[in-house]
Amino acid sequence: MRLPACLPVLLLVGAVLLPMLAGLAGTLLPAFGHLPALGAAGWSLGPWRRLLAEPGLTTALRLTLVSGLGATALSLLAVALFCAAFHDRPLFRRAQLWLAPLLATPHLAMGLGFLALAAPSGLLARLLAPSLGFDRPPDLATVNDSWGLALLLGLALKEAPWLLLMSLAALNQLPAARLMATARLLGQPAPIAWLKVVFPLVYRQIRLPLYAVLAYSLGSVEMALLLGPGSPPPLAVLPVRWFLDRDLAMTFPAAAAATLLLGLTLVAIAFWEGAAWLAGRAGRGWAASGRTLGSALVRIGGLLLPILLLLALGSLGAVLLWSLAGPWRFPDLWPRRLDLATWAAQREGLWALAGATLQVALPATALAIALAVAALEAVARHGRAAWPWLLGLSYLPLLLPQTGFLFGVQVMLLQLGLDDGFAAVLWAHLVFVLPYVLLVLAAPWAALDPRLARSAAALGAGPLRVLWAVKLPMLLRPLLAAGAAGIAVSVGQYLATLFAGGGRYATLTTEALALASGGDRRVLGVFATLQAAIPLACYALALLLPRWLWRHRAGLRAA
Amino acid sequence: MRNVALRSRGRALFPPLSLDVAPGQVLTLMGPSGCGKSSLLAWLCGTLDPALTGQGRASLDGADLTRLPPERRRLGILFQDDLLFPHLSVGGNLGFGLRSGLPRAERRARIAAALAEAEMPGFAERDPASLSGGQRARVALMRVLLAEPRALLLDEPFGRLDAALRGRFRRFVLDHATARGLPVLLVTHDAADAEAAGGPVLHLGA
């Protein structure tokens, strides 16, 4: 029997969309009072009345919008100005390499690190203590502030590197050098020329990742729990808090809050789109005006991103330092001694949690790569008959706030009586791992010279041998990169683990967040370090293994 | 080939084409870029771009080709680029198309003989990226010939080489093809290629 050409593509998109759509239904129905599993049938506005009665709801909305839109705007601004100011430096071309550690670090580890850096008793305060004369932590809300500015900055630390990576990928597909040469010969200074002629093209290509950043920032729970204020918290935290409440009736307002977050995200995306349209109009006017002023300003603004990157690296350093810290009194910049006592004390728990984390991450990533390879291969072989346009739908989960539909996934699992299965956790992770794996693999797959496969076929190799002996080895580098990205995404999942596992599947991430409120910095440092170390090791492997394997193959080293 | 036509979104790329190539003969197909020359070769190989559709019949030694999957058609094709697999050694590339089931010593002997024929003895362990342009082109041809093709398709294989190298490599390819009595279909837009081939010339899409 011949399988239809579109089957692998359908399989991939189904694996992502099925739980997502079920999750949306599972969020929307209880939001309007319908949840047979809890004995509630029919419709009611009760959940919404309870939600609206929540004190500080408007503050929660404001917090979410300020931190979400702010983090996205800050990241984009920093990336654009950085590219404009430094696009011609050699360091710029190697950016991908030094971005890797920041991309690999899960949000939670970054958040814990930023806490250790910026909290009143954090490293920055200690650094300033001698000159400002602190002998105790200053009484300032440097994190968990009531405007959500720490949350905004913390999100930007993680999102700006990712946006830079996407911009670099977009730049590789653009005739940027020729455009720049033309604009500069027409009298524009380099930074201004970049903003005028290259940035609009880059922006068009990074719109999807940008909306992913916006949706993530609006819906991020782990960052909001760590860096946002507690009462009222940002909107994304409400459904989680109520879901974890012992009173099952709180499920209904929780669903309403998740629905509100979904709506808010759509509104925010529409708002951004409108603002971008206006900015585009103004920008075209500026580009056509021939004005050349502002180079110095752009160059100064270009330092914004390096500052963010330094803060991010400092955060990573801070968790590592705390994990090794012995006694460490406040104004001291360095612990009195470094030891492995905390690691030793936590050893057994850490091993078990790391095992549980990898037990999900490895199969989820392997499954995602297999599905992505099958789908991309189907598209390469059958073209339009394989429905390649369908693949785009698998990016949808990145454009919705996680709380919005993961909450419903839990409701649906509850309804089906499957709420404590490992399979549910695995599938929920797959929903987020797959889009990233596809994102990494799609472009290199399409860029592979089709004549190589044709040559192999003419030499007598069947389709399977062409895939196995020619395409996969040649694509080893992106395949490993996709694997590393997949593992990083899975290791970082908090909500997917929490909701799909019914709160009973513990990984490094869920456990670290459960401990965060208790706040032993050393223990948190150990958790965050290990949580960051796993994906980091995978990234390093993905970088080094092809170099070693292809050490005698110059044709692949250059790629 | 009988009444072969290629269509892109329903539009025919060239009028229906019929032609015969005798063993040892070189037929040259010429025409402007975009006229479907290369696509015609891809269609013969069974690796036509999914965006195009092909019609017509092609047979080799009396057997219908179009029903066979690409890997069983046993057609050798050379492109403008050598397309050596960058992850395999020179010997690995040459061995790729050798019939499976040959004893290891026999495989190695054939690869060594092919390298000797290409005036590159002892190159089996080398990285293809370390070869010169002319050497890579010769390895690409030997790789095709080791697969024991029943016909040779040449898709502008001399276009990338510089003038001095081009003449020599062209001779090398054509001599090997005639020595083996292979029917050859050469696609080019260089009149010198057609002249060197010495066979009939067909203009496509003119």
Side-chain angles (χ1 to χ4, degrees), chain A residues 345-431:
Chain A
Q346 300 289 328
R347 196 181 51 214
E348 275 171 40
L350 282 177
W351 271 117
L353 285 169
T357 305
L358 287 175
Q359 209 180 333
V360 193
L362 293 178
T365 305
L367 209 56
I369 290 181
L371 283 167
V373 164
L376 291 170
E377 178 67 4
V379 170
R381 275 190 215 168
H382 305 290
R384 275 188 300 174
W387 301 358
W389 52 270
L390 210 57
L391 280 181
L393 289 181
S394 59
Y395 295 124
L396 268 178
L398 306 186
L399 301 184
L400 294 176
Q402 296 194 352
T403 326
F405 63 95
L406 282 174
F407 179 80
V409 165
Q410 154 68 13
V411 169
M412 280 292 170
L413 290 169
L414 197 74
Q415 185 79 43
L416 299 169
L418 298 171
D419 60 321
D420 55 357
F422 171 73
V425 177
L426 185 63
W427 200 349
H429 278 233
L430 188 64
V431 169

Side-chain angles (χ1 to χ4, degrees), chain A residues 66-275:
Chain A
V66 166
S67 58
L69 285 169
T72 313
L74 178 62
S75 303
L76 180 65
L77 185 75
V79 167
L81 292 178
F82 176 72
C83 291
F86 296 111
H87 61 90
D88 47 1
R89 304 292 166 87
L91 194 66
F92 185 80
R93 252 167 273 138
R94 284 203 302 274
Q96 239 150 320
L97 212 60
W98 43 263
L99 280 180
L102 300 180
L103 293 168
T105 307
H107 282 85
L108 180 67
M110 187 66 80
L112 285 170
F114 187 60
L115 211 55
L117 194 69
S121 60
L123 277 182
L124 286 178
R126 290 164 194 258
L127 204 60
L128 296 174
S131 45
L132 297 179
F134 297 151
D135 54 359
R136 65 179 70 186
D139 192 15
L140 269 173
T142 51
V143 292
N144 311 109
D145 61 294
S146 58
W147 272 94
L149 297 180
L151 174 58
L152 186 162
L153 200 57
L155 285 166
L157 292 190
K158 189 69 186 98
E159 300 306 331
W162 150 253
L163 216 48
L164 180 59
L165 181 79
M166 291 291 115
S167 304
L168 291 173
L171 273 173
N172 279 336
Q173 296 169 11
L174 294 171
R178 271 179 291 151
L179 285 171
M180 282 302 294
T182 315
R184 294 193 66 182
L185 287 174
L186 291 172
Q188 298 288 325
I192 300 295
W194 197 90
L195 285 178
K196 282 183 176 177
V197 301
V198 181
F199 178 68
L201 301 178
V202 171
Y203 182 81
R204 204 181 304 164
Q205 296 215 27
I206 61 166
R207 256 174 66 188
L208 181 84
L210 194 67
Y211 287 146
V213 167
L214 183 55
Y216 186 88
S217 302
L218 290 168
S220 159
V221 171
E222 53 267 51
M223 284 290 212
L225 282 172
L226 289 177
L227 301 174
S231 54
L235 183 60
V237 174
L238 281 182
V240 183
R241 189 180 279 178
W242 286 340
F243 164 78
L244 293 174
D245 198 299
R246 226 167 294 161
D247 181 3
L248 282 180
M250 289 310 283
T251 304
F252 295 98
T259 306
L260 183 62
L261 185 64
L262 274 173
L264 193 72
T265 304
L266 295 182
V267 169
I269 288 182
F271 170 78
W272 185 282
E273 191 70 344

